[in-house]
Amino acid sequence: MANYTPKPEHKFTFGLWTVGNIGRDPFGEPVRPALSPVEIVHLLAEVGAWGVNFHDNDLVPIDATPSQRDKIVSDFKKALADTGIVVPMATTNLFSDPAFRDGAFTSNDPKVRAYALHKTMHAIDLGVELGAKIYVFWGGREGTETDAGKNPLEAGKWFREALNFLSEYVLDNGYGAADGSGLKFALEAKPNEPRGDIYLSTTGAMLGFIETLDHPEMVGVNPEVAHETMAGLNFLHHVAQAWDRGKLFHIDLNDQGIGRYDQDFRFGAVNLKSAFFLVKFLEDVGYDGSRHFDAHAYRTADYEDVKAFARGCMRTYLILKEKAEQFNADSEIQALLAEITADDGSMDGFKGAYLAEKAAALKAYTFDRPALGRRGQPYERLDQLVVELLLGVR
Ligand code: GCO
Ligand code: MN
Ligand code: MN
């Protein structure tokens, strides 16, 4: 019988804001009492998580005095030491306070843009103090409801300037290094919610943007299942592009129906097949960053059910990991894959880099076009085997 117990090497993490979510939504009040950060750390240890991540204000309220901050941070450190829970990632809340109603780094108000830098530098200090190696930027308010009042070129320039400024801040303080070791940034795209439209709305857009920065080696992405899915896109394809560029620094796992509001469901709760292909990809390529569950329990849950939610995220991941191993070892599946990708070597001379002679030979080659079009590929048989594997009858 397989063992689906989470272990530190699985690098399962949750945010303080995830299991700590109190179930407020635009239509209703909180349904669960708030837990303190210390209580959340103990809850995460109880369910078997490896790490906890936080926004600055999940830990230290925005209006805390310096002595309150010090007490909160030392209590939190003690909880980490008592439980062995680590802090792999930290981030800034640049969306809750009314000051950020028109964005943070892309607000039209230069005072807000400066305040966003000020707040983020303090939050980076806090994250580094607690051991974070990845610093996430999710620009929830970086966008518009109307394009009448904000120039997207200016906004893009401000966002770039902010990230350049903060990269230098990290280097200047010895938190990171220009070769990309030390603290790294991970940019998280989302198409909308809470803004009508958020800038740099997909992981692909973020990957393009990163190359325009002064220190692209320090900056990668933090793709989230729900975000590409909200837009009706194939999340796995975005993750693969990020991996290909060496930019998959972090990942936010959850689940989401296409076209729905931002649901943040338990990992695998909606689309098990997509979750399977995602886990298979991460395991096959050897992704070794955090598996961060940026999700929360249904509003109907009490804290016992919140624990079931957290355990479920990790257990589903581990079950799918085992299914991926089965897929790779299944001789019928592998035989179909071999058939689909079969290569008789006759095109070897045309492969690889351009050469003038190669191009000339290829142009002169006579293809049996009707034969190319006649060749079936057994994707139906293969996909049915995947379905049966997932349904547990293989
Ligand atoms: C969302 C986002 C956030 C971010 C978080 C960490 O849809 O609200 O996914 O949960 O991931 O702010 O950066
Ligand atoms: Mn999200
Ligand atoms: Mn997220």
Side-chain angles (χ1 to χ4, degrees), residues 1-4 10 276 279-280 283 314-330 389-390 392 394:
M1 188 60 195
N3 180 0
Y4 304 122
H10 300 132
F276 166 70
V279 170
K280 179 172 167 353
E283 296 300 322
M314 297 184 283
R315 187 173 166 84
T316 299
Y317 188 100
L318 292 175
I319 295 169
L320 293 175
K321 180 173 186 279
E322 184 185 73
K323 296 283 181 193
E325 285 158 16
Q326 275 176 33
F327 179 104
N328 291 337
D330 186 306
L389 185 84
L390 292 180
R394 275 191 83 70

Side-chain angles (χ1 to χ4, degrees), residues 259-336:
R260 299 296 173 94
Y261 68 96
D262 179 16
Q263 293 175 310
D264 287 337
F265 286 148
R266 191 181 73 257
F267 182 58
V270 178
N271 191 334
L272 272 176
K273 203 167 157 192
S274 296
F276 166 70
F277 288 123
L278 177 62
V279 170
K280 179 172 167 353
F281 180 87
L282 295 175
E283 296 300 322
D284 282 352
V285 298
Y287 168 76
D288 74 347
S290 293
R291 275 88 173 151
H292 172 67
F293 297 104
D294 190 7
H296 51 76
Y298 302 139
R299 197 162 174 271
T300 42
D302 60 11
Y303 276 110
E304 276 314 301
D305 214 31
V306 169
K307 288 181 208 165
F309 147 85
R311 290 191 175 104
C313 285
M314 297 184 283
R315 187 173 166 84
T316 299
Y317 188 100
L318 292 175
I319 295 169
L320 293 175
K321 180 173 186 279
E322 184 185 73
K323 296 283 181 193
E325 285 158 16
Q326 275 176 33
F327 179 104
N328 291 337
D330 186 306
S331 53
E332 205 179 336
I333 287 176
Q334 293 307 316
L336 286 174

Side-chain angles (χ1 to χ4, degrees), residues 17 55 91 95 136 138 188 190 224 227 252 262 294:
W17 70 96
H55 302 85
T91 183
F95 44 89
V136 165
W138 172 65
E188 179 177 347
K190 188 176 183 182
E224 174 170 318
H227 295 178
D252 279 7
D262 179 16
D294 190 7

Side-chain angles (χ1 to χ4, degrees), residues 23-256:
R24 181 189 291 119
D25 74 12
F27 303 93
E29 302 303 333
V31 293
R32 290 183 283 270
L35 299 181
S36 70
V38 167
E39 289 172 312
I40 295 173
V41 168
H42 283 277
L43 185 156
L44 289 177
E46 184 185 335
V47 299
W50 169 66
V52 63
N53 306 316
F54 59 84
H55 302 85
D56 50 354
N57 304 135
D58 297 338
L59 184 59
V60 181
I62 197 164
D63 51 4
T65 63
S67 64
Q68 285 168 336
R69 176 206 190 269
D70 292 347
K71 167 90 171 85
I72 291 167
V73 172
S74 78
D75 289 351
F76 190 65
K77 281 184 179 165
K78 180 171 183 309
L80 297 173
D82 288 347
T83 56
I85 296 275
V86 295
V87 174
M89 177 272 260
T91 183
T92 328
N93 184 327
L94 295 172
F95 44 89
S96 293
D97 194 86
F100 300 123
R101 67 216 285 188
D102 186 34
F105 302 129
T106 67
S107 167
N108 267 324
D109 183 341
K111 288 187 186 135
V112 174
R113 298 200 299 274
Y115 173 58
L117 283 178
H118 158 105
K119 191 173 194 287
T120 303
M121 287 190 286
H122 283 291
I124 289 175
D125 295 346
L126 177 66
V128 169
E129 181 180 347
L130 288 158
K133 296 284 186 297
I134 297 287
Y135 202 85
V136 165
F137 290 82
W138 172 65
R141 300 275 177 201
E142 312 290 13
T144 60
E145 283 71 42
T146 169
D147 288 322
K150 208 190 277 189
N151 179 338
L153 288 176
E154 282 291 297
K157 199 179 89 196
W158 291 330
F159 192 50
R160 179 179 303 117
E161 280 173 5
L163 285 169
N164 287 341
F165 186 100
L166 293 166
S167 300
E168 295 295 346
Y169 177 75
V170 164
L171 294 173
D172 199 24
N173 284 276
Y175 297 157
D179 66 0
S181 61
L183 190 72
K184 288 193 182 120
F185 292 169
L187 310 186
E188 179 177 347
K190 188 176 183 182
N192 56 274
E193 229 182 300
R195 293 312 292 268
D197 291 290
I198 300 177
Y199 294 127
L200 297 167
S201 54
T202 63
T203 300
M206 286 298 186
L207 289 168
F209 174 75
I210 287 168
E211 297 309 317
T212 72
L213 297 172
D214 288 349
H215 291 287
E217 70 288 345
M218 289 174 62
V219 188
V221 291
N222 176 35
E224 174 170 318
V225 176
H227 295 178
E228 260 77 22
T229 305
M230 284 169 73
L233 300 172
N234 184 315
F235 180 65
L236 174 63
H237 295 183
H238 285 77
V239 170
Q241 190 189 357
W243 178 262
D244 179 62
R245 303 320 302 147
K247 293 297 187 189
L248 190 65
F249 289 4
H250 199 264
I251 192 162
D252 279 7
L253 303 172
N254 54 15
D255 214 348
Q256 168 78 37

